[in-house]
Amino acid sequence: MSWHLQIGVDRDLLKKVDPKLNERQTFILSSLTIMLLIVSLICFFSSILYTLIVFHNWWIAIGVGFFLALVVFNLYRLFVMTALDVSGSSLEEFYVDHEKHYAEHHEIGSDMTNVSDEKIQEIVAISKEKLREKSQMDIGRKQLKFSDVLTMTLRIVILSIIAIVFATGIELFIFKNQINDVLEQLKNQYISHGETWMVENILTPGPNDQFYIFNANSLLLAIDILERGLGYWKVVMDIIFLIIFLIPLALVFKSKEIKQSEYMRELALSEITITFYHYLHTQKLCQKIIQEVKNKEIKFTKTKKLKASI
């Protein structure tokens, strides 16, 4: 299965990569996709556990789990694809400022009204090949901007929150037997002290319901028991899951085989080429409209003078 296609990798652009590098690029991007799927599976399993405690229904739990896993996968895919750029390469200046590329291959303001679509395509194709020939994917370390730091911080914060929330669900499952033992002890203590409200409403399933994972109706109670039982080990386990969730993002930003890959160069060239093509078409259309307006003004002026002379 072409796993890399699941995160939005363009198959046609990947085919333009040197055949010697294509297989390696496919493997790296597919591995990245599998990492995102693993993160999504963790969220899926954790969501099922949370929902079972609240609703006591497998179908609702699976539906909620699938939905949340899909949300996390697409959110992470967004973070990954928006992080893929050509920063730190000779293409960056053209990628950030497309007009610089336009100016090198087209005289700004020149007459485009009689230029055919075939000629426009030829201009765009030649400019793309020239840019490809002089492009270098590694020209040194890029100086960080405030916007770069801000977007990176937002990505890390959002993923950290997601990681901690869903890590707790996995930890609950790992220690479910110990938590159920504590819940049983609590139930016996409440019964012995005559406190029936907790027993009837929290520690006993409702009519036509049954407990599946934990012998309690309260998710917060289960989490509280988990945190008190694990203590500082809860923090250690959260950090482990946090690392698992952040590894794909770290690879995207730190791996030269991703950030400075042949695929990234082809992607940047493709985007620059598309904008250049539409820029030339827009110029041609605008100039035609301006010419038509001028012609109509001339005709209107002549007609007005003719009527005035009559």
Side-chain angles (χ1 to χ4, degrees):
M1 180 177 180
S2 301
W3 295 103
H4 58 285
L5 300 179
Q6 307 307 311
I7 59 172
V9 174
D10 193 315
R11 188 199 302 266
D12 294 331
L13 289 178
L14 196 58
K15 289 179 180 177
K16 296 180 181 179
V17 174
D18 187 336
K20 296 179 181 178
L21 302 173
N22 187 290
E23 186 176 348
R24 177 65 179 173
Q25 286 286 289
T26 302
F27 171 75
I28 292 172
L29 294 171
S30 295
S31 299
L32 181 63
T33 305
I34 291 172
M35 290 181 190
L36 300 192
L37 289 173
I38 290 173
V39 167
S40 301
L41 284 174
I42 292 174
C43 298
F44 174 71
F45 189 75
S46 183
S47 300
I48 287 178
L49 188 139
Y50 285 149
T51 311
L52 275 177
I53 296 175
V54 177
F55 294 102
H56 309 291
N57 186 296
W58 276 105
W59 291 110
I60 294 177
I62 292 173
V64 171
F66 180 78
F67 173 75
L68 291 178
L70 197 61
V71 169
V72 171
F73 178 77
N74 282 285
L75 181 63
Y76 212 142
R77 183 171 63 171
L78 173 66
F79 288 164
V80 167
M81 297 310 292
T82 53
L84 293 176
D85 56 34
V86 286
S87 57
S89 74
S90 59
L91 283 175
E92 182 180 9
E93 58 180 324
F94 300 103
Y95 189 74
V96 174
D97 184 7
H98 287 201
E99 290 187 358
K100 185 172 183 179
H101 175 67
Y102 306 162
E104 286 193 3
H105 303 279
H106 172 70
E107 185 180 348
I108 305 298
S110 61
D111 186 13
M112 295 287 297
T113 53
N114 296 320
V115 179
S116 64
D117 289 347
E118 291 76 13
K119 182 61 178 177
I120 290 176
Q121 291 176 354
E122 182 183 345
I123 294 171
V124 170
I126 292 173
S127 66
K128 180 179 181 180
E129 290 305 315
K130 287 183 178 179
L131 189 57
R132 177 186 280 114
E133 289 172 3
K134 69 179 181 180
S135 64
Q136 292 178 307
M137 290 308 294
D138 186 6
I139 62 171
R141 191 177 182 87
K142 171 192 172 185
Q143 185 178 1
L144 286 177
K145 301 176 183 177
F146 174 75
S147 58
D148 298 327
V149 176
L150 180 62
T151 54
M152 173 60 79
T153 302
L154 286 174
R155 286 185 174 99
I156 292 175
V157 169
I158 293 172
L159 288 176
S160 298
I161 294 172
I162 293 173
I164 292 172
V165 168
F166 290 106
T168 301
I170 303 299
E171 293 159 6
L172 284 170
F173 180 77
I174 293 173
F175 298 101
K176 64 183 184 300
N177 293 331
Q178 292 84 344
I179 293 173
N180 281 328
D181 290 340
V182 174
L183 289 171
E184 187 64 28
Q185 294 174 19
L186 282 174
K187 184 176 181 180
N188 293 332
Q189 287 183 8
Y190 284 129
I191 292 174
S192 64
H193 288 82
E195 298 180 11
T196 58
W197 188 91
M198 279 292 291
V199 175
E200 293 174 355
N201 293 279
I202 303 298
L203 301 174
T204 302
N208 302 319
D209 280 339
Q210 60 175 315
F211 291 136
Y212 288 103
I213 305 295
F214 298 102
N215 298 324
N217 289 312
S218 174
L219 175 60
L220 295 177
L221 177 61
I223 294 174
D224 184 60
I225 293 172
L226 176 73
E227 291 178 345
R228 289 175 182 272
L230 289 179
Y232 290 111
W233 285 105
K234 174 75 166 62
V235 178
V236 174
M237 295 189 71
D238 284 345
I239 291 174
I240 292 173
F241 278 98
L242 182 61
I243 292 172
I244 293 172
F245 272 67
L246 292 179
I247 283 176
L249 191 65
L251 287 176
V252 169
F253 279 95
K254 292 298 182 181
S255 173
K256 287 188 175 183
E257 288 192 284
I258 296 177
K259 288 284 285 183
Q260 298 175 2
S261 64
E262 290 291 315
Y263 173 75
M264 280 311 306
R265 181 172 70 173
E266 292 300 326
L267 179 62
L269 288 171
S270 175
E271 292 179 1
I272 293 172
T273 300
I274 290 170
T275 57
F276 190 25
Y277 177 80
H278 288 291
Y279 166 78
L280 293 178
H281 260 288
T282 303
Q283 290 293 106
K284 178 181 177 179
L285 180 61
C286 289
Q287 289 175 5
K288 280 187 174 181
I289 293 173
I290 291 171
Q291 189 62 44
E292 288 176 2
V293 171
K294 286 182 179 179
N295 292 336
K296 287 182 179 179
E297 286 180 351
I298 292 172
K299 288 181 180 179
F300 177 76
T301 303
K302 288 181 177 180
T303 304
K304 190 175 180 181
K305 287 181 178 180
L306 181 61
K307 288 182 178 180
S309 62
I310 295 174

